[in-house]
Amino acid sequence: MSVESEPGVVEGLDHWRTLPAVQQPAWSDRAALAAVSDELAIQPPLVFAGEADVLRGRLAAAGRGEAFVLQGGDCAETFADATANQIRNKIKTVLQMAVVLTYGASLPVVKLGRMAGQYAKPRSTDDETRDGVTLPAYRGDIINGHEFTLEARTPDPHRLLKAYHTSASTLNLIRAFTTGGFADLRLVHEWNRGFLANPAYSRYETMAGEIDRAIRFMGAAGGDFDSLRTVEFFSSHEALLLDYERPLTRIDSRTGLPYDCSAHFVWIGERTRQLDGAHVDFLSRVQNPIGIKLGPAATADETLALMERLNPTGIEGRLTLITRMGAGTVRDALPALVQEVVAEGGPVTWVCDPMHGNTFSSPSGYKTRRFDDVLDEVRGFFEVHRDLGTHPGGIHIELTGDDVTEVMGGSEEIDDAGLARRYETRVDPRLNHQQSLELAFQVAEMLKRS
Ligand code: PEP
Ligand code: CO
C-alpha cells in the first residue's frame, strides 16, 4: 500500500521556482523544456530511496570516525566519455584507491562516485569570447555542447533526457562491475601490484606488501571472501540544474517523503549555496544525504544557518560539509569553522575537497593543479581535525581512470610542457590513474600515523 505524502510536501517541491536560482541556463525554448520535464517525470528513478537511506547511515558512521569516505570522479562527465572502457577505468581507480585507504585507515571506506549524473557545471561568466566572437559559456553536457559554435552553445533542453539515459547506462555498468565479481578484493589488490611494477612508485612497495600479507592472513584465518566479492558503490553529483533534479524527485512509497532519485547523494556547490536561494530551498525538501561545498570565505555563522535550514532536526549523516580551502589557507581558515560548527551545530561529516582551492593557470595557459598542493591540503585537513579532536571523514577528488596529463607533479613529474600531451578535461584538471593511486598511498600513510 502506498503512503500518502503530507499535505503541502509536493507543492513545496516547487517553491524554489519563486526564488533566485543562480547558475541556470537561459533556455530559449520554454515549451521544449516543459515537454522534456514531463517526460523525465515519468521515467523510472535512477536510484531507490532505500539506497539513499543506507548511504546516510554510512556517512553518519564517517562523521563519528567509524568509516572514511572516498568520493571521486570527473569534474564534468561528458556523453562521449560514457564508454564501457572509461567507466570501467574510473571504477577500477576508485576501488584500487579504496583498498589502500581501507588499509591505511583500518576503517570501512564508503565509495561514492562523482559519476552517473555529473553533467552540469557552474561557470564564472555567462559568456565566452574568442577572436571577437561571444557565445554562451559551456555549462556541461546536460545543457549545451563544448564546441565553440552558436548551435552547440545554445542551451538545448533535450540534453536533459540524454543525461538521464546516459546516467542510467552508466549506473547499470557500475552495478554490474561492483556486484558481478569484478570488484573482488583479491583482484583489486592484483591491479595495485601492476601499478607498483613501475619503478616510479617503488616507494609504496612496503605498504603494498603489508596489504598483501593482510589479505593472505584473512584467507588463512578463514576470512569470508565471498562477502568481499561485491562492493557498495554510490552515485553523486552537484545538484545544480534544478530543471533536471525536480522531475527526478519522487515521493517514496514507504514514507511519503520526497527523494531526489537522480543520485544517492547530491551536493550544493560553493556558488549556489545562498541561504535564500533556490538550491538550498529545493534540497531542504528532499531526504537524500546532501553535501555543501565550503570555500575559504565561508563563515561559521552562514554554515550554521545552512545547517539549520538543511538539517533542522539534526539527522546524523544527512549533511556532509565538503571544505575546499586551498593548501595555503586550510590551516588558518578551517579550525575556527570546525570549532564553532561542532560547538553550536548538529552532527556533520567533514570531507576534504583538496582540488577546488588549488586551481591556477600554468604559464602555457592550462588550468591546472599541483599534486603536492592537493596532498598538502589533505595533510592540513587531517592536522586541523586531529588538533581539535574532530573526525576527518573523507576526501573528495577529481580523477579519471585514464592516462591524462592535467595535474602537474606526482612521481612521474608532469610539468607545464607535459600538460599539452593529453589534456582532455572539459572543465577542471583531474588526477590521472597513477596520480590517483599515488594520492591514495600517501593519504593512507597519513591515516596510519593519525
Ligand atoms: C566542482 O566540484 O566541480 C565545483 C564546481 O566545486 P565548487 O562548488 O567547490 O567550486
Ligand atoms: Co571541478
Side-chain angles (χ1 to χ4, degrees):
M1 202 182 75
S2 81
V3 178
E4 294 293 315
S5 64
E6 293 285 317
V9 165
V10 175
E11 293 78 1
L13 287 173
D14 285 306
H15 184 62
W16 64 270
R17 296 184 193 279
T18 66
L19 302 172
V22 293
Q23 296 284 347
Q24 305 302 291
W27 301 113
S28 46
D29 192 345
R30 286 265 149 198
L33 178 66
V36 162
S37 185
D38 288 348
E39 190 161 347
L40 275 178
I42 56 170
Q43 299 304 310
L46 291 173
V47 303
F48 289 136
E51 297 173 323
D53 290 342
V54 170
L55 176 60
R56 193 188 311 107
R58 303 284 183 260
L59 293 168
R64 295 191 301 267
E66 297 163 12
F68 192 76
V69 179
L70 171 60
Q71 186 172 21
D74 280 297
C75 178
E77 287 181 291
T78 62
F79 298 154
D81 285 352
T83 65
N85 277 348
Q86 277 160 297
I87 295 166
R88 185 201 54 216
N89 289 348
K90 225 178 298 172
I91 295 172
K92 268 180 94 163
T93 305
V94 172
L95 295 178
Q96 285 180 265
M97 294 172 77
V99 167
V100 176
L101 291 170
T102 304
Y103 179 75
S106 299
L107 291 173
V109 169
V110 183
K111 292 162 272 295
L112 192 48
R114 267 181 81 113
M115 287 177 83
Q118 179 52 27
Y119 290 114
K121 298 308 301 172
R123 302 314 306 255
S124 46
T125 52
D126 284 341
D127 300 315
E128 181 182 346
T129 301
R130 290 190 202 171
D131 301 327
V133 180
T134 299
L135 293 174
Y138 172 65
R139 288 188 171 275
D141 272 16
I142 196 169
I143 290 162
N144 57 3
H146 188 259
E147 201 191 339
F148 196 72
T149 62
L150 180 60
E151 198 193 348
R153 289 293 175 92
T154 302
D156 176 2
H158 296 102
R159 285 176 168 269
L160 275 66
L161 282 169
K162 174 111 175 162
Y164 167 82
H165 289 293
T166 313
S167 298
S169 57
T170 302
L171 260 179
N172 184 51
L173 204 55
I174 291 176
R175 292 191 195 271
F177 279 143
T178 53
T179 58
F182 176 82
D184 188 301
L185 175 69
R186 288 160 294 183
L187 203 58
V188 177
H189 178 59
E190 278 308 310
W191 300 332
N192 277 348
R193 300 222 303 201
F195 160 76
L196 291 163
N198 181 338
Y201 304 110
S202 55
R203 52 204 277 223
Y204 304 117
E205 259 167 21
T206 312
M207 188 180 292
E210 289 167 16
I211 298 174
D212 201 48
R213 273 193 299 283
I215 291 176
R216 280 190 281 136
F217 170 79
M218 280 172 66
D224 177 12
F225 277 107
D226 270 355
S227 67
L228 301 174
R229 281 172 48 80
T230 64
V231 296
E232 254 184 0
F233 198 103
F234 298 97
S235 66
S236 70
H237 61 258
E238 177 174 350
L240 180 69
L241 182 60
L242 296 172
D243 288 320
Y244 180 73
E245 305 302 332
R246 171 63 186 96
L248 285 173
T249 296
R250 307 296 162 79
I251 305 299
D252 175 24
S253 61
R254 301 166 311 162
T255 56
L257 296 170
Y259 283 72
D260 183 346
C261 295
S262 70
H264 300 109
F265 176 95
V266 282
W267 74 85
I268 309 179
E270 165 77 350
R271 290 173 228 216
T272 50
R273 58 176 172 77
Q274 299 77 19
L275 196 55
D276 299 320
H279 293 83
V280 168
D281 185 83
F282 179 67
L283 288 164
S284 73
R285 297 169 193 272
V286 300
Q287 301 297 305
N288 308 55
I290 60 177
I292 313 173
K293 292 281 205 99
L294 297 173
T299 65
D301 282 351
E302 67 182 329
T303 306
L304 287 163
L306 283 166
M307 289 165 65
E308 180 59 34
R309 275 299 303 279
L310 292 164
N311 192 18
T313 56
I315 296 168
E316 238 194 318
R318 156 76 170 166
L319 264 192
T320 296
L321 300 183
I322 307 169
T323 58
R324 28 87 88 221
M325 303 278 162
T329 312
V330 60
R331 292 169 181 84
D332 299 325
L334 191 55
L337 185 67
V338 173
Q339 233 165 350
E340 285 186 52
V341 163
V342 169
E344 291 173 45
V348 291
T349 303
W350 296 99
V351 164
C352 171
D353 165 0
M355 314 301 293
H356 289 89
N358 295 307
T359 317
F360 65 97
S361 283
S362 78
S364 66
Y366 286 103
K367 193 176 180 189
T368 190
R369 294 163 174 152
R370 280 191 200 86
F371 183 78
D372 285 346
D373 292 342
V374 171
L375 262 188
D376 193 45
E377 178 155 359
V378 179
R379 197 175 293 115
F381 172 79
F382 284 141
E383 284 168 17
V384 169
H385 283 287
R386 197 182 49 225
D387 287 352
L388 296 173
T390 48
H391 300 294
I395 53 175
H396 177 120
I397 306 291
E398 286 186 342
L399 57 81
T400 163
D402 301 317
D403 236 350
V404 300
T405 55
E406 299 169 3
V407 170
M408 290 164 72
S411 286
E412 288 194 90
E413 289 180 16
I414 297 169
D415 60 10
D416 188 18
L419 292 176
R421 221 162 44 238
R422 202 174 153 193
Y423 190 96
E424 295 178 1
T425 183
R426 288 289 183 238
V427 185
D428 289 337
R430 304 158 295 178
L431 298 180
N432 64 25
H433 175 71
Q434 326 271 8
Q435 290 170 326
S436 302
L437 293 182
E438 188 165 11
L439 177 93
F441 276 103
Q442 295 267 355
V443 173
E445 287 286 358
M446 295 177 206
L447 283 164
K448 267 180 81 178
R449 281 195 300 270
S450 65

